[in-house]
């Protein structure tokens, strides 16, 4: 009576309900991770993501060894692997966490459930985030999230009986390569041990001033928790992080400024699941605009030169290019800069959201489908329920990197420029370029101010001609936050009279 515990985006032993349930049975357990080539060939997966997973698998194996078991890593499609394990080890149960991923993982999971049903193999799954499958009413979501976050964190099992015979074909993660590109020169290391160290340093020191320091690319590197890839691949439990932050933030001896910072941090853990819930409720968001009538805002193929210059950090706008080059090198950039990159692609460069979204997905080590596709659409003005945000790349640069520290680090062509010139090098005179350098830096792809005006006008005209209030209200009902001012929530009394006055709808009025 062997139980398979199937690890996906939950690469840890602590606070792991499927593993705890398998341990309670006292029967042999195969702790399984399957490297699925079809997944790693998807357009939003990459080698840098695999690198983080590979680190985490090695760490997971060490954790399992402390419970008298080992991680079994196999390569192939999941159904074929289960068939083989059924023959060799007579597996009777498959336990796992729910995964709110893209369409591919959703279809894969349905196939696994179908196979288990056919083979009379028990299949059980638990949710690890505050994401509710088959949610019938968004008004019920917040309570479900809070209930899950307050449940006790499960300890790692002390003993997991190993199968009597080893599994044929098991692989060492360090020897596995995946097909997808976008390798990372300076990656963030994976594994629960690394994640716990980050959590400790954040809660002890780095969190102070969190809410003020996460916007600038200079301060965000240390001010942000940097736990995002660990949350994305489950090497640290979200509930564990939440409860640790709440315990310290709520302690009477904690300084008020630290309490305030940790309150701000916990709100972002809440937003994490809020955005994933959107993809869970409407999986088509991976492929089409959240506001369906906005899907055809841009027709025709993208301008390939503009797309390539954006991807390579060669737009000619220093902060935009510095962010893209930093992301290429490290696999991480802070939220504000992610938003700016996507907005510039969507408005000033007028690119359809899908190509930039896939490119950023491959670059993000912490790629989380539910957050990513919702956010890229929000920054592209495709949700219909959020204000239109067109970032001015020069103003962002002057505000968030006033001395040009971040720009000089990632754009060596501009290293010698004084601060007052580094944000707009195209305005330098030949004499200034001769004195300070900057001749080798590329000219802007276009006039960003003029492009922003044209984009704003185009969006407004499209909205007046093609967007209906009924579709906007459908999106608000389905995905709108229940936080914030009452007038921004669905089911507002004014809506019953056909009136709208809230700011979230202003783009479409």
């Amino acid at each position: 009576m062997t139980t398979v515990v199937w690890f996906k985006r939950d690469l840890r032993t602590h606070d792991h309900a499927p593993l705890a349930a398998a341990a309670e049975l006292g029967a042999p357990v195969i702790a399984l991770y399957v490297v699925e080539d079809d997944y790693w060939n998807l357009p939003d997966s990459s080698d840098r993501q695999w690198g983080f997973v590979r680190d985490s698998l090695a760490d997971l194996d060490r954790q399992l060894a402390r419970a008298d078991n080992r991680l079994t890593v196999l390569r192939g499609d999941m159904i074929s692997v289960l068939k083989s394990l059924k023959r060799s080890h007579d597996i009777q149960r498959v336990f796992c966490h729910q995964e709110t991923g893209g369409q591919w993982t959703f279809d894969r999971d349905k196939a696994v459930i179908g196979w288990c049903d056919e083979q009379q193999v028990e299949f059980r799954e638990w949710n690890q985030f505050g994401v509710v499958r088959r949610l019938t009413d968004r008004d019920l979501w917040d309570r479900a999230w809070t209930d899950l976050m307050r449940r006790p964190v499960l300890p790692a099992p002390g003993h997991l009986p190993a199968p009597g015979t080893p599994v044929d074909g098991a692989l060492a993660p360090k020897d596995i390569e995946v097909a997808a590109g976008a390798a990372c020169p300076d990656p963030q290391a994976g594994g629960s041990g690394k994640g716990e160290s980050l959590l400790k340093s954040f809660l002890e020191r780095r969190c102070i001033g969190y809410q003020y320091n996460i916007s600038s690319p200079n301060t965000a590197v240390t001010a942000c928790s940097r736990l995002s890839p660990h949350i994305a691949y489950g090497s640290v439990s979200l509930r564990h992080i939440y409860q640790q932050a709440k315990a310290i933030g709520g302690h009477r001896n904690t300084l008020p400024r630290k309490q305030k910072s940790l309150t701000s941090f916990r709100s972002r853990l809440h937003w994490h699941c809020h955005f994933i819930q959107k993809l869970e409720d409407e999986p088509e968001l991976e492929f089409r605009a959240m506001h369906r009538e906005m899907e055809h805002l841009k027709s025709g193929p993208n301008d390939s030169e503009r797309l390539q210059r954006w991807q390579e950090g060669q737009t000619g706008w220093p902060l935009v290019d510095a962010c893209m080059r930093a992301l290429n090198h490290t696999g991480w950039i802070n939220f504000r800069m992610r938003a700016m990159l996507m907005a510039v692609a969507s408005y000033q460069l007028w690119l359809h959201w899908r190509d930039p979204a896939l490119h950023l997905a491959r670059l993000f080590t912490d790629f989380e489908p539910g957050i990513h596709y919702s956010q890229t659409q929000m920054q592209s003005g495709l949700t219909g329920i959020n204000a239109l945000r067109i970032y001015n790349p020069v103003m962002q640069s002057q505000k968030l990197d006033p001395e040009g520290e971040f720009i000089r680090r990632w754009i060596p062509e501009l290293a010698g420029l004084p601060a007052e010139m580094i944000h707009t090098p195209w305005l330098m005179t030949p004499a200034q370029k001769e004195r300070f350098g900057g001749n080798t830096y590329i000219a802007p792809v276009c006039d960003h101010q003029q492009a922003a005006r044209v984009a704003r006008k185009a969006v407004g005209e499209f909205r007046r001609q093609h967007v209906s209030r009924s579709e906007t209200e459908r999106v608000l009902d389905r995905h709108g936050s229940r936080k914030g001012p009452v007038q921004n929530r669905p089911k507002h009394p004014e809506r019953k009279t056909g009136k709208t006055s809230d700011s979230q709808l202003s783009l479409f009025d």
Side-chain angles (χ1 to χ4, degrees):
M1 297 287 282
T2 303
T3 302
V4 168
V5 175
W6 178 21
F7 290 91
K8 293 183 284 186
R9 282 177 172 254
D10 52 352
L11 307 179
R12 62 180 186 273
T13 58
H14 71 284
D15 201 28
H16 196 290
L19 203 60
E24 284 186 3
L25 294 173
V29 173
I30 296 176
L32 177 69
Y33 182 87
V34 179
V35 181
E36 300 160 288
D37 286 321
D38 286 347
Y39 172 82
W40 291 106
N41 281 317
L42 292 173
D44 53 11
S45 65
S46 65
D47 183 68
R48 60 182 56 192
Q49 297 161 10
W50 167 246
F52 190 89
V53 171
R54 185 173 51 211
D55 289 349
S56 300
L57 294 177
D59 191 82
L60 176 59
D61 184 45
R62 290 190 287 271
Q63 296 172 56
L64 289 165
R66 292 195 284 271
D68 310 313
N69 208 311
R70 300 301 296 267
L71 180 66
T72 297
V73 179
L74 298 173
R75 189 167 193 166
D77 69 272
M78 191 61 196
I79 300 296
S80 297
V81 167
L82 290 176
K83 287 178 179 177
S84 177
L85 292 177
K86 178 70 174 169
R87 289 193 298 270
S88 64
H89 288 78
D90 189 29
I91 59 173
Q92 295 296 315
R93 307 179 195 88
V94 174
F95 291 176
C96 63
H97 277 119
Q98 289 178 353
E99 180 176 3
T100 302
Q103 189 64 48
W104 189 92
T105 58
F106 186 67
D107 291 341
R108 184 268 319 273
D109 288 357
K110 286 197 300 184
V112 169
I113 293 171
W115 180 87
C116 288
D117 187 52
E118 289 174 2
Q119 298 297 316
Q120 296 184 320
V121 172
E122 180 186 0
F123 180 88
R124 291 182 63 191
E125 59 182 0
W126 290 254
N127 63 335
Q128 63 169 338
F129 292 151
V131 176
V132 181
R133 184 149 290 179
R134 302 180 189 87
L135 181 67
T136 56
D137 186 340
R138 187 75 189 197
D139 288 345
L140 305 175
W141 180 79
D142 187 66
R143 177 175 293 179
W145 186 89
T146 302
D147 287 346
L148 186 72
M149 289 302 117
R150 289 178 176 174
R151 291 177 199 168
V153 171
L154 299 170
H159 176 64
L160 280 171
T165 56
V167 176
D168 290 339
L171 302 167
K174 65 181 178 60
D175 298 328
I176 300 174
E177 295 182 355
V178 298
C184 189
D186 186 17
Q188 186 170 344
S192 297
K194 296 290 185 182
E196 290 291 345
S197 295
L198 279 173
L199 177 60
K200 185 173 186 290
S201 68
F202 178 72
L203 295 178
E204 287 182 350
R205 305 183 306 277
R206 295 187 292 115
C207 68
I208 298 175
Y210 170 81
Q211 66 274 37
Y212 307 115
N213 297 322
I214 58 176
S215 294
S216 167
N218 289 310
T219 54
V221 174
T222 54
C224 290
S225 74
R226 306 301 305 275
L227 288 164
S228 55
H230 294 280
I231 296 173
Y233 294 101
S235 48
V236 182
S237 153
L238 182 75
R239 176 164 52 195
H240 170 61
I241 296 169
Y242 173 83
Q243 293 190 7
Q244 289 287 300
K246 188 169 180 60
I248 293 176
H251 196 280
R252 62 183 180 181
N253 292 336
T254 300
L255 294 172
R257 59 176 179 161
K258 190 172 185 179
Q259 291 180 351
K260 191 173 181 180
S261 295
L262 289 177
T263 297
S264 180
F265 173 67
R266 291 201 306 276
S267 75
R268 281 160 176 79
L269 298 180
H270 184 276
W271 283 108
H272 165 276
C273 299
H274 165 80
F275 281 104
I276 299 177
Q277 185 69 48
K278 295 173 190 283
L279 187 63
E280 174 64 32
D281 291 343
E282 202 166 358
E284 300 89 347
L285 300 183
E286 179 182 354
F287 305 104
R288 61 143 176 85
M290 184 179 294
H291 193 292
R292 295 166 182 164
E293 294 166 344
M294 296 293 289
E295 175 63 26
H296 301 293
L297 171 64
K298 298 169 187 175
S299 59
N302 280 326
D303 184 313
S304 59
E305 181 184 350
R306 288 189 170 198
L307 177 62
Q308 183 176 357
R309 286 182 61 167
W310 177 81
Q311 290 173 330
E312 295 176 352
Q314 295 284 353
T315 66
W317 301 315
L319 186 62
V320 174
D321 292 345
C323 287
M324 187 61 84
R325 296 185 195 188
L327 182 57
N328 273 313
H329 193 82
T330 67
W332 185 87
I333 195 76
N334 57 314
F335 175 80
R336 173 72 76 89
M337 296 298 97
R338 295 181 192 212
M340 183 191 69
L341 284 173
M342 192 65 204
V344 164
S346 298
Y347 299 121
Q348 281 91 344
L349 300 181
W350 202 244
L351 302 174
H352 188 276
W353 71 277
R354 179 82 172 147
D355 284 336
L358 290 175
H359 183 72
L360 290 177
R362 291 188 292 271
L363 292 183
F364 292 158
T365 302
D366 56 10
F367 170 57
E368 173 64 63
I371 297 174
H372 184 70
Y373 290 115
S374 299
Q375 273 296 324
T376 51
Q377 292 200 33
M378 180 183 292
Q379 306 307 336
S380 303
L382 301 176
T383 67
I385 60 172
N386 302 102
L388 193 64
R389 293 186 178 127
I390 300 180
Y391 287 78
N392 181 322
V394 173
M395 290 180 64
Q396 291 293 310
S397 183
Q398 292 169 335
K399 178 180 179 181
L400 299 175
D401 187 30
E403 299 303 317
E405 177 185 351
F406 183 76
I407 292 172
R408 287 189 186 85
R409 179 179 178 189
W410 294 106
I411 307 181
E413 304 99 293
L414 302 179
L417 270 62
E420 62 270 23
M421 297 177 184
I422 202 166
H423 310 290
T424 54
W426 59 89
L427 297 180
M428 294 171 65
T429 65
Q432 288 171 327
K433 288 185 177 181
E434 181 69 24
R435 179 179 179 186
F436 300 114
N439 281 312
T440 59
Y441 184 58
I442 196 167
V445 66
C446 64
D447 182 322
H448 70 88
Q449 291 179 312
Q450 174 65 16
R453 285 193 290 270
V454 170
R456 186 180 296 278
K457 181 180 179 183
V459 173
E461 290 179 350
F462 184 90
R463 175 209 18 115
R464 284 189 288 276
Q465 294 178 19
H466 302 287
V467 168
S468 66
R469 188 176 303 281
S470 60
E471 172 62 6
T472 302
E473 292 191 345
R474 183 198 68 81
V475 176
L476 196 58
D477 275 337
R478 188 74 169 171
H479 302 296
S481 169
R482 271 51 173 175
K483 296 286 186 183
V486 173
Q487 67 269 25
N488 287 345
R489 301 174 187 173
K491 301 177 183 177
H492 188 277
E494 286 185 345
R495 288 178 48 205
K496 295 179 180 178
T497 65
K499 299 177 181 177
T500 56
S501 61
D502 59 84
S503 59
Q504 282 192 314
L505 293 176
S506 61
L507 174 61
F508 299 96
D509 288 341

